[in-house]
Amino acid sequence: MTPRARITGTGSYVPEKILTNAELATRIDTSDEWIFTRTGIRQRHIAAEGEHTSDLALKASRKALESAGLDARDLDMVIVATATPDNTFPATATRVQAMLGMEKGAAFDLQAVCSGFIYGLSLADNFIRAGQAGNVLLVGAETFSRILDWEDRSTCVLFGDGAGAVILSATAAGENPDGGAGVLSTHLHSDGSLTDLLYVDGGPSSTGTVGHLRMLGKEVFRHAVVRLAEVAEEALEANGLNCGDIDWLVPHQANKRIIDSTARKLGMPSDRIVLTVDHHANTSAASIPLALDEAVRDGRIKPGNLILMEAMGGGLTWGSSLVRW
Ligand code: COA
């Protein structure tokens, strides 16, 4: 029987410094009221000077390993989903690998911006199903504060820094885990013709500078509400399930209005949605694993629960995953 990938541990980390909407309003022409009513965001965490994406990833990874009861030596692979790597190269994942004291296995970064965690889940699941990895550390880690234009009020209020990690482990050959726990499906999409809606205006091969995030917010919003509902439906249909079967929707945390719209289209009541956008803002690839870890640790997500995850980000990229916990 083909092994299946189960999520056996979660962990997360957010930098100590909190930047509230009120503090932002002292620097730029905005208000807590504008930000909260448009996005549901109240605050975000900001990495300290000298605190890198790999540092955030490492802290989340250690917690995930601990909760899975594994040692870094048990890992075969480290995937870091990030759009804000420490350096152009080497991959932030190899830094995390070294900081964990691993000297074997494979480590690499994955770039699908805010969809990075779903893309990573798909990749890890496929490596495990193919028998090429037994234990995979998947991290979503970002320091978007470093690529924001802090004078552009239409974007700088939306993002924050953080990291979330999961351990995916192969079920033993022939094992039929309780209640069929594991990754049931992943669905990935992208449409590169929509690059100009959300991008960074720099990079090693274009300007030679890091650049800043640029976004046509209204357009991104419009695509998000359509694509996210579609890809969530795609996941349900592929598994012969309907919305009533889902215990928790764990969406990418970009904007509460986008999340509410997706939930409305699916017919998902608000008390079955894990929401962290109010205190984390949009942490890109980190947002889903941050939310997952929060809901696992506070006891909302329990063994046997059916979890639906969805995300959309720059590219545009989007995707969904159904996981039996
Ligand atoms: N504070 C106060 N006013 C602001 C502001 C801020 N931080 N940012 C923009 N505004 C102003 C605009 O300048 C505009 O003023 P104008 O009408 O005088 O030109 C006005 O608010 C309305 O802007 P608009 O763009 O129409 O607002 P909106 O309702 O579309 O909300 C977003 C803006 C960015 C919140 C919304 O488009 C959005 O959430 N888009 C999706 C973004 C996203 O999630 N991206 C990540 C995907 S992974």
Short mmCIF file of all heavy atoms in Angstrom, two decimals, residues 150-203:
data_model
loop_
_atom_site.label_atom_id
_atom_site.label_comp_id
_atom_site.label_asym_id
_atom_site.label_seq_id
_atom_site.Cartn_x
_atom_site.Cartn_y
_atom_site.Cartn_z
N TRP A 150 7.31 51.39 3.28
CA TRP A 150 6.63 51.89 4.48
C TRP A 150 5.98 53.25 4.27
O TRP A 150 5.38 53.81 5.17
CB TRP A 150 7.59 51.88 5.67
CG TRP A 150 7.83 50.47 6.14
CD1 TRP A 150 8.89 49.67 5.85
CD2 TRP A 150 6.93 49.67 6.94
NE1 TRP A 150 8.72 48.42 6.43
CE2 TRP A 150 7.53 48.41 7.11
CE3 TRP A 150 5.69 49.90 7.54
CZ2 TRP A 150 6.94 47.37 7.84
CZ3 TRP A 150 5.09 48.87 8.28
CH2 TRP A 150 5.72 47.63 8.42
N GLU A 151 6.12 53.79 3.03
CA GLU A 151 5.42 55.06 2.73
C GLU A 151 4.17 54.80 1.90
O GLU A 151 3.41 55.72 1.62
CB GLU A 151 6.38 55.98 1.98
CG GLU A 151 7.65 56.10 2.76
CD GLU A 151 8.35 57.41 2.60
OE1 GLU A 151 8.29 57.96 1.49
OE2 GLU A 151 8.95 57.85 3.59
N ASP A 152 3.98 53.54 1.50
CA ASP A 152 2.80 53.20 0.68
C ASP A 152 1.72 52.63 1.61
O ASP A 152 1.74 51.45 1.95
CB ASP A 152 3.18 52.19 -0.40
CG ASP A 152 1.98 51.71 -1.19
OD1 ASP A 152 0.87 52.28 -1.01
OD2 ASP A 152 2.13 50.74 -1.96
N ARG A 153 0.78 53.48 2.01
CA ARG A 153 -0.21 53.06 3.00
C ARG A 153 -1.14 51.97 2.48
O ARG A 153 -1.80 51.28 3.25
CB ARG A 153 -1.04 54.26 3.47
CG ARG A 153 -1.89 54.88 2.39
CD ARG A 153 -2.72 56.03 2.91
NE ARG A 153 -3.58 56.56 1.87
CZ ARG A 153 -4.55 57.42 2.07
NH1 ARG A 153 -4.76 57.88 3.29
NH2 ARG A 153 -5.30 57.84 1.08
N SER A 154 -1.21 51.84 1.14
CA SER A 154 -2.14 50.84 0.61
C SER A 154 -1.57 49.42 0.72
O SER A 154 -2.30 48.44 0.52
CB SER A 154 -2.51 51.16 -0.85
OG SER A 154 -1.39 50.95 -1.68
N THR A 155 -0.29 49.28 1.01
CA THR A 155 0.28 47.92 1.17
C THR A 155 0.92 47.69 2.54
O THR A 155 0.82 46.59 3.09
CB THR A 155 1.34 47.63 0.09
OG1 THR A 155 2.34 48.68 0.12
CG2 THR A 155 0.74 47.54 -1.29
N CYS A 156 1.58 48.71 3.10
CA CYS A 156 2.40 48.44 4.30
C CYS A 156 1.58 48.07 5.52
O CYS A 156 2.10 47.47 6.46
CB CYS A 156 3.35 49.59 4.60
SG CYS A 156 2.57 51.03 5.35
N VAL A 157 0.28 48.37 5.50
CA VAL A 157 -0.55 48.06 6.67
C VAL A 157 -1.02 46.60 6.68
O VAL A 157 -1.60 46.14 7.66
CB VAL A 157 -1.80 48.99 6.72
CG1 VAL A 157 -1.37 50.45 6.76
CG2 VAL A 157 -2.74 48.74 5.54
N LEU A 158 -0.77 45.90 5.56
CA LEU A 158 -1.42 44.60 5.38
C LEU A 158 -0.59 43.39 5.84
O LEU A 158 -1.15 42.31 6.01
CB LEU A 158 -1.75 44.39 3.89
CG LEU A 158 -2.63 45.46 3.23
CD1 LEU A 158 -2.76 45.18 1.74
CD2 LEU A 158 -4.00 45.50 3.89
N PHE A 159 0.72 43.57 5.99
CA PHE A 159 1.59 42.39 6.16
C PHE A 159 2.31 42.37 7.50
O PHE A 159 2.48 43.40 8.15
CB PHE A 159 2.61 42.34 5.01
CG PHE A 159 1.97 42.19 3.66
CD1 PHE A 159 1.61 43.31 2.91
CD2 PHE A 159 1.71 40.93 3.15
CE1 PHE A 159 1.00 43.18 1.67
CE2 PHE A 159 1.10 40.78 1.90
CZ PHE A 159 0.75 41.92 1.16
N GLY A 160 2.78 41.15 7.86
CA GLY A 160 3.55 40.98 9.09
C GLY A 160 4.57 39.86 8.92
O GLY A 160 4.62 39.21 7.87
N ASP A 161 5.38 39.65 9.96
CA ASP A 161 6.43 38.63 9.91
C ASP A 161 6.05 37.45 10.80
O ASP A 161 5.38 37.62 11.82
CB ASP A 161 7.75 39.23 10.43
CG ASP A 161 8.21 40.42 9.58
OD1 ASP A 161 7.78 40.52 8.42
OD2 ASP A 161 9.01 41.24 10.10
N GLY A 162 6.57 36.27 10.47
CA GLY A 162 6.31 35.09 11.31
C GLY A 162 6.71 33.81 10.60
O GLY A 162 7.13 33.84 9.43
N ALA A 163 6.58 32.71 11.33
CA ALA A 163 6.90 31.40 10.74
C ALA A 163 6.02 30.33 11.36
O ALA A 163 5.70 30.37 12.56
CB ALA A 163 8.37 31.05 10.99
N GLY A 164 5.63 29.38 10.54
CA GLY A 164 4.88 28.21 11.02
C GLY A 164 5.49 26.98 10.38
O GLY A 164 5.98 27.06 9.25
N ALA A 165 5.47 25.87 11.11
CA ALA A 165 6.11 24.66 10.59
C ALA A 165 5.24 23.44 10.88
O ALA A 165 4.51 23.41 11.87
CB ALA A 165 7.48 24.48 11.24
N VAL A 166 5.33 22.47 10.00
CA VAL A 166 4.69 21.17 10.27
C VAL A 166 5.69 20.07 9.94
O VAL A 166 6.60 20.26 9.13
CB VAL A 166 3.40 20.93 9.43
CG1 VAL A 166 2.32 21.96 9.76
CG2 VAL A 166 3.68 20.93 7.93
N ILE A 167 5.51 18.93 10.60
CA ILE A 167 6.26 17.72 10.24
C ILE A 167 5.28 16.80 9.54
O ILE A 167 4.17 16.56 10.03
CB ILE A 167 6.79 16.99 11.50
CG1 ILE A 167 7.59 17.92 12.40
CG2 ILE A 167 7.60 15.75 11.10
CD1 ILE A 167 8.92 18.36 11.87
N LEU A 168 5.67 16.34 8.36
CA LEU A 168 4.87 15.34 7.64
C LEU A 168 5.62 14.02 7.70
O LEU A 168 6.81 13.96 7.37
CB LEU A 168 4.65 15.77 6.19
CG LEU A 168 3.74 16.99 6.08
CD1 LEU A 168 4.40 18.11 5.31
CD2 LEU A 168 2.43 16.59 5.43
N SER A 169 4.93 12.98 8.14
CA SER A 169 5.57 11.68 8.30
C SER A 169 4.81 10.63 7.51
O SER A 169 3.57 10.66 7.46
CB SER A 169 5.59 11.27 9.77
OG SER A 169 6.24 12.27 10.53
N ALA A 170 5.55 9.68 6.94
CA ALA A 170 4.92 8.61 6.17
C ALA A 170 4.28 7.61 7.11
O ALA A 170 4.85 7.26 8.15
CB ALA A 170 5.98 7.90 5.32
N THR A 171 3.10 7.17 6.76
CA THR A 171 2.49 6.07 7.50
C THR A 171 3.28 4.81 7.13
O THR A 171 3.80 4.70 6.02
CB THR A 171 1.02 5.88 7.09
OG1 THR A 171 0.96 5.76 5.66
CG2 THR A 171 0.17 7.05 7.51
N ALA A 172 3.35 3.86 8.05
CA ALA A 172 4.10 2.62 7.76
C ALA A 172 3.39 1.87 6.64
O ALA A 172 2.17 1.97 6.49
CB ALA A 172 4.15 1.77 9.02
N ALA A 173 4.18 1.13 5.84
CA ALA A 173 3.61 0.38 4.72
C ALA A 173 2.49 -0.52 5.25
O ALA A 173 2.66 -1.25 6.22
CB ALA A 173 4.70 -0.45 4.05
N GLY A 174 1.33 -0.44 4.61
CA GLY A 174 0.21 -1.30 5.01
C GLY A 174 -0.58 -0.77 6.19
O GLY A 174 -1.64 -1.27 6.52
N GLU A 175 -0.06 0.26 6.85
CA GLU A 175 -0.77 0.81 8.02
C GLU A 175 -2.00 1.57 7.57
O GLU A 175 -1.96 2.34 6.61
CB GLU A 175 0.17 1.76 8.78
CG GLU A 175 -0.46 2.33 10.04
CD GLU A 175 0.33 3.54 10.59
OE1 GLU A 175 1.42 3.82 10.07
OE2 GLU A 175 -0.16 4.17 11.52
N ASN A 176 -3.10 1.34 8.23
CA ASN A 176 -4.31 2.11 7.94
C ASN A 176 -4.58 3.00 9.14
O ASN A 176 -5.19 2.57 10.10
CB ASN A 176 -5.48 1.16 7.67
CG ASN A 176 -6.71 1.93 7.25
OD1 ASN A 176 -6.63 3.11 6.93
ND2 ASN A 176 -7.86 1.27 7.28
N PRO A 177 -4.06 4.24 9.11
CA PRO A 177 -4.14 5.06 10.32
C PRO A 177 -5.57 5.32 10.75
O PRO A 177 -6.49 5.30 9.93
CB PRO A 177 -3.44 6.36 9.90
CG PRO A 177 -3.39 6.34 8.43
CD PRO A 177 -3.50 4.93 7.97
N ASP A 178 -5.75 5.55 12.05
CA ASP A 178 -7.08 5.79 12.62
C ASP A 178 -7.83 6.82 11.80
O ASP A 178 -7.33 7.91 11.57
CB ASP A 178 -6.95 6.34 14.05
CG ASP A 178 -6.26 5.34 14.95
OD1 ASP A 178 -6.21 4.16 14.56
OD2 ASP A 178 -5.76 5.76 16.01
N GLY A 179 -9.02 6.46 11.39
CA GLY A 179 -9.87 7.40 10.68
C GLY A 179 -9.27 7.89 9.38
O GLY A 179 -9.71 8.88 8.81
N GLY A 180 -8.26 7.19 8.84
CA GLY A 180 -7.66 7.57 7.57
C GLY A 180 -6.94 8.89 7.64
O GLY A 180 -6.99 9.70 6.70
N ALA A 181 -6.24 9.15 8.78
CA ALA A 181 -5.55 10.44 8.93
C ALA A 181 -4.48 10.64 7.86
O ALA A 181 -3.82 9.69 7.46
CB ALA A 181 -4.91 10.53 10.32
N GLY A 182 -4.33 11.87 7.41
CA GLY A 182 -3.30 12.17 6.42
C GLY A 182 -3.75 13.22 5.43
O GLY A 182 -4.88 13.74 5.51
N VAL A 183 -2.85 13.55 4.51
CA VAL A 183 -3.18 14.52 3.46
C VAL A 183 -4.06 13.79 2.45
O VAL A 183 -3.64 12.82 1.83
CB VAL A 183 -1.90 15.05 2.77
CG1 VAL A 183 -2.25 16.02 1.64
CG2 VAL A 183 -0.98 15.73 3.80
N LEU A 184 -5.30 14.23 2.29
CA LEU A 184 -6.23 13.57 1.36
C LEU A 184 -6.01 14.06 -0.06
O LEU A 184 -6.12 13.29 -1.01
CB LEU A 184 -7.68 13.82 1.78
CG LEU A 184 -8.06 13.42 3.21
CD1 LEU A 184 -9.55 13.60 3.43
CD2 LEU A 184 -7.66 11.97 3.49
N SER A 185 -5.76 15.36 -0.22
CA SER A 185 -5.55 15.89 -1.57
C SER A 185 -4.91 17.26 -1.50
O SER A 185 -5.01 17.95 -0.48
CB SER A 185 -6.88 16.01 -2.33
OG SER A 185 -7.68 17.01 -1.72
N THR A 186 -4.25 17.62 -2.61
CA THR A 186 -3.82 19.01 -2.80
C THR A 186 -4.14 19.38 -4.25
O THR A 186 -4.03 18.54 -5.14
CB THR A 186 -2.30 19.20 -2.55
OG1 THR A 186 -1.57 18.28 -3.37
CG2 THR A 186 -1.93 19.00 -1.10
N HIS A 187 -4.55 20.61 -4.45
CA HIS A 187 -4.82 21.12 -5.80
C HIS A 187 -4.09 22.45 -5.97
O HIS A 187 -4.28 23.36 -5.15
CB HIS A 187 -6.33 21.31 -6.01
CG HIS A 187 -7.07 20.02 -6.12
ND1 HIS A 187 -7.58 19.35 -5.03
CD2 HIS A 187 -7.35 19.25 -7.20
CE1 HIS A 187 -8.15 18.24 -5.43
NE2 HIS A 187 -8.04 18.14 -6.75
N LEU A 188 -3.26 22.52 -7.00
CA LEU A 188 -2.44 23.72 -7.22
C LEU A 188 -2.77 24.38 -8.57
O LEU A 188 -3.02 23.67 -9.55
CB LEU A 188 -0.95 23.35 -7.24
CG LEU A 188 -0.41 22.56 -6.05
CD1 LEU A 188 1.08 22.30 -6.24
CD2 LEU A 188 -0.67 23.29 -4.75
N HIS A 189 -2.71 25.70 -8.59
CA HIS A 189 -2.95 26.45 -9.84
C HIS A 189 -2.06 27.69 -9.88
O HIS A 189 -1.66 28.20 -8.83
CB HIS A 189 -4.41 26.94 -9.92
CG HIS A 189 -5.40 25.83 -9.91
ND1 HIS A 189 -5.76 25.15 -11.04
CD2 HIS A 189 -6.09 25.26 -8.89
CE1 HIS A 189 -6.65 24.22 -10.73
NE2 HIS A 189 -6.86 24.26 -9.43
N SER A 190 -1.82 28.16 -11.09
CA SER A 190 -1.21 29.48 -11.22
C SER A 190 -1.62 30.08 -12.56
O SER A 190 -2.02 29.35 -13.48
CB SER A 190 0.32 29.40 -11.13
OG SER A 190 0.83 28.65 -12.20
N ASP A 191 -1.55 31.40 -12.65
CA ASP A 191 -1.81 32.10 -13.91
C ASP A 191 -0.81 33.25 -13.99
O ASP A 191 -1.04 34.33 -13.43
CB ASP A 191 -3.25 32.61 -13.95
CG ASP A 191 -3.57 33.33 -15.26
OD1 ASP A 191 -2.62 33.55 -16.06
OD2 ASP A 191 -4.74 33.68 -15.48
N GLY A 192 0.30 32.99 -14.68
CA GLY A 192 1.39 33.96 -14.77
C GLY A 192 1.05 35.21 -15.55
O GLY A 192 1.80 36.21 -15.47
N SER A 193 -0.09 35.20 -16.24
CA SER A 193 -0.47 36.43 -16.96
C SER A 193 -0.91 37.51 -15.98
O SER A 193 -1.08 38.67 -16.35
CB SER A 193 -1.57 36.14 -17.98
OG SER A 193 -2.80 35.91 -17.32
N LEU A 194 -1.10 37.12 -14.70
CA LEU A 194 -1.57 38.08 -13.69
C LEU A 194 -0.45 38.57 -12.77
O LEU A 194 -0.71 39.12 -11.70
CB LEU A 194 -2.71 37.45 -12.87
CG LEU A 194 -3.91 37.00 -13.71
CD1 LEU A 194 -4.89 36.18 -12.88
CD2 LEU A 194 -4.63 38.22 -14.30
N THR A 195 0.80 38.37 -13.22
CA THR A 195 1.97 38.77 -12.43
C THR A 195 1.90 40.21 -11.94
O THR A 195 2.28 40.52 -10.81
CB THR A 195 3.24 38.61 -13.30
OG1 THR A 195 3.30 37.27 -13.73
CG2 THR A 195 4.50 38.95 -12.54
N ASP A 196 1.44 41.10 -12.81
CA ASP A 196 1.51 42.54 -12.48
C ASP A 196 0.56 42.98 -11.37
O ASP A 196 0.63 44.12 -10.92
CB ASP A 196 1.21 43.37 -13.74
CG ASP A 196 2.33 43.24 -14.77
OD1 ASP A 196 3.40 42.73 -14.39
OD2 ASP A 196 2.11 43.63 -15.94
N LEU A 197 -0.32 42.09 -10.93
CA LEU A 197 -1.26 42.47 -9.87
C LEU A 197 -0.59 42.50 -8.50
O LEU A 197 -1.04 43.20 -7.60
CB LEU A 197 -2.45 41.50 -9.81
CG LEU A 197 -3.29 41.35 -11.08
CD1 LEU A 197 -4.52 40.53 -10.77
CD2 LEU A 197 -3.68 42.72 -11.63
N LEU A 198 0.48 41.70 -8.34
CA LEU A 198 1.13 41.59 -7.03
C LEU A 198 2.55 41.08 -7.27
O LEU A 198 2.73 39.94 -7.70
CB LEU A 198 0.31 40.59 -6.17
CG LEU A 198 0.82 40.24 -4.78
CD1 LEU A 198 1.10 41.45 -3.94
CD2 LEU A 198 -0.21 39.35 -4.06
N TYR A 199 3.52 41.94 -7.02
CA TYR A 199 4.90 41.58 -7.34
C TYR A 199 5.86 42.45 -6.53
O TYR A 199 5.42 43.40 -5.86
CB TYR A 199 5.18 41.76 -8.84
CG TYR A 199 5.10 43.20 -9.30
CD1 TYR A 199 6.25 43.96 -9.50
CD2 TYR A 199 3.86 43.82 -9.49
CE1 TYR A 199 6.18 45.29 -9.89
CE2 TYR A 199 3.78 45.15 -9.88
CZ TYR A 199 4.93 45.88 -10.07
OH TYR A 199 4.86 47.19 -10.44
N VAL A 200 7.15 42.11 -6.59
CA VAL A 200 8.18 42.94 -5.98
C VAL A 200 8.99 43.57 -7.10
O VAL A 200 9.42 42.87 -8.03
CB VAL A 200 9.06 42.11 -5.02
CG1 VAL A 200 10.29 42.88 -4.58
CG2 VAL A 200 8.25 41.70 -3.79
N ASP A 201 9.18 44.88 -7.02
CA ASP A 201 9.82 45.60 -8.14
C ASP A 201 11.34 45.57 -8.07
O ASP A 201 12.01 46.57 -8.35
CB ASP A 201 9.28 47.04 -8.22
CG ASP A 201 9.61 47.85 -6.97
OD1 ASP A 201 10.30 47.31 -6.07
OD2 ASP A 201 9.18 49.01 -6.89
N GLY A 202 11.89 44.44 -7.67
CA GLY A 202 13.35 44.29 -7.63
C GLY A 202 13.72 42.83 -7.70
O GLY A 202 12.84 41.97 -7.78
N GLY A 203 15.01 42.56 -7.66
CA GLY A 203 15.48 41.17 -7.72
C GLY A 203 16.85 41.11 -8.33
O GLY A 203 17.27 42.06 -9.01
#
